[in-house]
Amino acid sequence: MSNDQHANLSNMTTISSKEPPKRSLGALVGLLPFLAPYKRQFVMASIALLIAAGATLAIPYAFRQMIDLGFSTGGIQGASHIDLYFLALFGVACILGVATAARFYMVSWLGERVTADLRSAVYSHVVTQSPQFFETTKTGEVLSRITTDTTLIQALVGTSISMALRNGLLFIGGLAMLFITSVKLSSIIIVMLALVVLPIVFYGRRVRKLSRASQDRVADASAMAGEILNAMPTVQAFTHENIEAQRFSVSVENAFGTAMERIRARSVLTMMVILLVFGAIVFVLWLGAHAVVQGRMSGGELGQFILYAALLAGSIGALAEVMGDAQRAAGATERLLELLSAQSPVQSVLLPDTLPPRTAQGAALTLENIGFRYPSRPESAALHGLSLDIRPGETVAVVGPSGAGKTTLFQLLLRFYDPQQGSIKLDGVDIKYLDLHTLRGAIGIVPQDTVIFSANAMENIRYGRVGASDDEVIAAAKMAAADEFIVRLPEGYQSFLGERGVRLSGGQRQRIAIARALLKNPPLLLLDEATSALDAESERAVQGALEAAMVGRTTLVIAHRLATVQRADRIIVLEHGHVVESGTHTELVAQNGLYASLAALQFNINTES
């Protein structure tokens, strides 16, 4: 594939961040892709909804017939009419009950299903984001959106939409029946309702803004709680329990204050709806009562008009209540769509290249004039003018003072970020044109900060290669000198290691991570202070395992330990983001440069001799 083709593909996969959706009910349109797969259930719910609405609208008409024909006729004939219409009313009630139950089941199913799909979609999208995303987004906020915000959407889809459609049908049907009953009275009531809707709509905007603010404050509190709970040993070591509890209380009180503003606004909105709408209806009914007295309407017609007016008022009140729920759900949808619209700057190209067949020596690695600045710190270069040529099977140690760019180098190799300048080639293939899974599948890493999952020892090691057998897992553990302490756990390899591995020592967690990388068996191995958390005895055991693991693969080591550095084929010394020295341990000590001074500090080597 030519460079021009690669450039075009890269451009196609680089999608600019979308503007956040406007804070309005229009954000709910973003839910349509999640509703689309369930057209059948939506149609069934709609049919049940139509039947239930039709049955509800039939009740006032049945009352009119009962009053005008049953009560006015009198005698046996009147009694038979009354019996007939009461049976009809009961039949309508049966239809209404069955249709309402069917509607409730179907829309509740839709609410649960859409919410589950939305949570999965958001989570699946978030886990593909590059570290740049998590530099500016708190994990607690993401969790709040996945849980709290999706619950609001569940209420909307599973309840509010159904209520809105039902009351919308009742409003339209009731309005039509009002005009059929009395055009004059209906015209008056419509004009009055139109006048009262305007202040309701205006005030509803304030409720919508407060709904979004309330959800933001809850997310802030969740983010703070998540951060502190993940750092409890540090919090307790510095005796900050009361301080952090007070901080969280302040955050919760802020959320409570904002929520109360929203509740007060919604209360006022509800009061406005009830007073204005029912006031208009009562006035019109007063006119109708005079019409009956004057003989211009029958008692049954007035009764029918009253019931339809009550249905109309009830539907408007319910629609106003639903509007409040919809506004909160719109805010939640907006926040979720912001997550779904976030595009990682690091993506696989549409037509990726493939790596050549793996050789027995390992992978070749070439870095050409690499320049990189972190997006959150664009003013300072983490790496610049960095060039390396690492042969297959070579073990290269990367050393340098803190902030020299060692960890940044590993992040670029894993393509957590893309350099702004230069290229990185694995076995002659630019890693930008490899599928991300192919690239990262060829790299094993033992990070300095070991991650242990809330699972047993077997599954934690198997994370390196999901399809590995138990025997392969145990073999990897033995290579990493982890088997000896795992078998002493209460349930051996089935022992639960606790959240973030709290049941293990630092050295034991490190050996689990090494076993995980060995199980993966990659051609390129990255060791980021792999033995930093080990005591002298464990370090000797793991060092031997690592030396065996380095056979047949290329290895890059970030290390300060003398044992690892001395055994490297080559040592690269970084300072301020570029290579300042390169050679073996003996050669670099003899040069009496930066490495020699680092060696004197860290390894107690006399560089003046």
Side-chain angles (χ1 to χ4, degrees):
M1 186 178 291
S2 68
N3 290 334
D4 290 340
Q5 289 173 311
H6 279 309
N8 291 334
L9 290 174
S10 297
N11 291 334
M12 293 173 67
T13 57
T14 304
I15 304 174
S16 61
S17 298
K18 300 178 182 177
E19 294 183 1
K22 294 181 179 180
R23 296 181 178 182
S24 69
L25 295 179
L28 296 176
V29 175
L31 295 177
L32 291 179
F34 296 94
L35 289 167
Y38 308 110
K39 295 184 182 71
R40 177 171 164 269
Q41 288 81 359
F42 195 81
V43 168
M44 292 173 64
S46 299
I47 293 172
L49 180 66
L50 287 170
I51 295 173
T56 303
L57 290 171
I59 291 176
Y61 180 77
F63 267 101
R64 172 188 172 181
Q65 298 300 316
M66 182 180 65
I67 293 170
D68 285 348
L69 299 180
F71 293 160
S72 61
T73 304
I76 297 175
Q77 186 178 3
S80 64
H81 277 133
I82 290 175
D83 293 342
L84 177 63
Y85 283 110
F86 268 103
L87 284 173
L89 276 174
F90 180 73
V92 170
C94 291
I95 295 172
L96 178 61
V98 172
T100 301
R103 173 188 63 83
F104 174 78
Y105 175 82
M106 293 309 303
V107 297
S108 296
W109 185 93
L110 278 170
E112 296 288 348
R113 183 66 268 166
V114 168
T115 302
D117 291 349
L118 186 57
R119 282 176 177 155
S120 296
V122 172
Y123 187 79
S124 298
H125 185 72
V126 167
V127 297
T128 65
Q129 298 302 304
S130 69
Q132 179 180 341
F133 174 84
F134 295 99
E135 286 182 17
T136 56
T137 306
K138 297 179 180 178
T139 55
E141 182 179 349
V142 173
L143 293 175
S144 174
R145 295 188 186 192
I146 292 175
T147 54
T148 306
D149 289 355
T150 51
T151 300
L152 293 175
I153 293 172
Q154 177 184 348
L156 175 73
V157 177
T159 304
S160 300
I161 289 179
S162 173
M163 287 181 60
L165 292 174
R166 174 180 178 274
N167 287 286
L169 289 173
L170 291 180
F171 177 82
I172 295 170
L175 187 62
M177 293 305 296
L178 282 179
F179 273 98
I180 291 172
T181 306
S182 173
V183 174
K184 179 181 177 182
L185 293 180
S186 299
S187 300
I188 295 173
I189 200 171
I190 291 304
V191 171
M192 295 190 67
L193 288 177
L195 292 176
V196 303
V197 162
L198 293 177
I200 292 173
V201 171
F202 177 79
Y203 198 75
R205 294 178 180 175
R206 171 174 167 78
V207 176
R208 182 170 65 246
K209 292 179 181 178
L210 290 172
S211 296
R212 173 63 189 250
S214 177
Q215 291 159 234
D216 287 342
R217 298 294 78 75
V218 171
D220 291 342
S222 297
M224 179 184 294
E227 180 181 13
I228 298 305
L229 290 176
N230 284 330
M232 280 312 299
T234 302
V235 171
Q236 293 175 351
F238 285 89
T239 64
H240 277 209
E241 296 94 333
N242 292 336
I243 294 174
E244 297 301 344
Q246 183 62 31
R247 284 183 61 215
F248 183 72
S249 295
V250 170
S251 182
V252 169
E253 286 303 316
N254 288 337
F256 173 76
T258 308
M260 288 310 300
E261 285 188 60
R262 172 182 57 81
I263 291 169
R264 281 193 292 270
R266 285 197 65 181
S267 299
V268 172
L269 180 62
T270 302
M271 180 184 69
M272 289 172 59
V273 170
I274 293 174
L275 290 180
L276 294 176
V277 173
F278 277 88
I281 290 174
V282 168
F283 173 73
V284 173
L285 293 181
W286 175 75
L287 295 177
H290 280 278
V292 172
V293 171
Q294 294 168 6
R296 290 184 281 112
M297 286 184 74
S298 69
E301 286 176 328
L302 180 59
Q304 175 178 300
F305 190 88
I306 291 172
L307 289 176
Y308 279 125
L311 279 178
L312 193 68
S315 64
I316 292 174
L319 286 171
E321 184 71 19
V322 167
M323 184 63 68
D325 293 337
Q327 287 165 347
R328 293 188 69 196
T333 302
E334 176 186 337
R335 287 153 52 89
L336 289 167
L337 291 179
E338 285 174 0
L339 286 181
L340 286 173
S341 65
Q343 293 295 329
S344 174
V346 177
Q347 296 186 9
S348 298
V349 293
L350 298 179
L351 298 173
D353 287 345
T354 57
L355 287 172
R358 179 176 177 177
T359 64
Q361 290 78 27
L365 188 63
T366 304
L367 292 84
E368 298 176 353
N369 196 30
I370 297 297
F372 175 70
R373 298 171 185 263
Y374 282 100
S376 59
R377 306 187 297 277
E379 69 286 347
S380 97
L383 294 174
H384 63 92
L386 178 64
S387 295
L388 287 175
D389 191 4
I390 301 173
R391 301 182 301 275
E394 188 177 9
T395 297
V396 176
V398 182
V399 301
S402 179
K406 303 184 296 295
T407 301
T408 300
L409 173 61
F410 278 20
Q411 291 182 321
L412 294 181
L413 293 178
L414 286 161
R415 212 178 159 218
F416 290 157
Y417 299 90
D418 280 334
Q420 289 88 19
Q421 177 185 342
S423 65
I424 301 173
K425 294 180 180 178
L426 184 66
D427 281 336
V429 181
D430 193 321
I431 64 172
K432 279 188 178 181
Y433 308 129
L434 289 172
D435 180 80
L436 284 173
H437 288 152
T438 300
L439 168 65
R440 293 169 184 169
I443 301 174
I445 183 167
V446 179
Q448 183 175 5
D449 297 324
T450 304
V451 175
I452 301 296
F453 298 97
S454 296
N456 59 40
M458 181 73 73
E459 295 308 315
N460 261 286
I461 297 175
R462 188 178 277 127
Y463 202 83
R465 181 157 53 90
V466 176
S469 66
D470 290 355
D471 290 340
E472 289 174 318
V473 170
I474 294 171
K478 289 180 178 178
M479 288 182 64
D483 178 76
E484 51 91 11
F485 75 82
I486 293 176
V487 295
R488 292 200 303 267
L489 295 174
E491 298 177 41
Y493 279 85
Q494 300 305 316
S495 297
F496 177 65
L497 302 182
E499 187 175 5
R500 293 178 288 112
V502 295
R503 298 184 179 183
L504 300 178
S505 68
Q508 289 171 337
R509 290 196 293 271
Q510 197 81 355
R511 282 183 274 177
I512 291 285
I514 293 171
R516 187 185 294 160
L518 294 176
L519 181 65
K520 189 176 184 180
N521 191 29
L524 176 60
L525 186 62
L526 307 180
L527 306 176
D528 188 355
E529 296 284 8
T531 60
S532 63
L534 304 181
D535 54 40
E537 182 179 354
S538 296
E539 183 183 358
R540 281 195 298 272
V542 172
Q543 193 62 49
L546 288 176
E547 288 178 9
M550 292 174 187
V551 176
R553 58 175 54 88
T554 305
T555 307
L556 263 70
V557 184
I558 294 176
H560 296 299
R561 295 293 186 97
L562 180 60
T564 305
V565 172
Q566 282 183 324
R567 288 175 171 81
D569 298 319
R570 185 161 37 125
I571 300 170
I572 303 297
V573 184
L574 292 182
E575 185 179 28
H576 303 307
H578 66 280
V579 177
V580 293
E581 296 176 14
S582 177
T584 64
H585 171 73
T586 304
E587 292 169 349
L588 293 177
V589 169
Q591 290 178 17
N592 202 24
L594 176 59
Y595 179 83
S597 61
L598 290 174
L601 291 172
Q602 299 171 12
F603 310 135
N604 295 319
I605 295 177
N606 185 2
T607 61
E608 296 179 357
S609 59

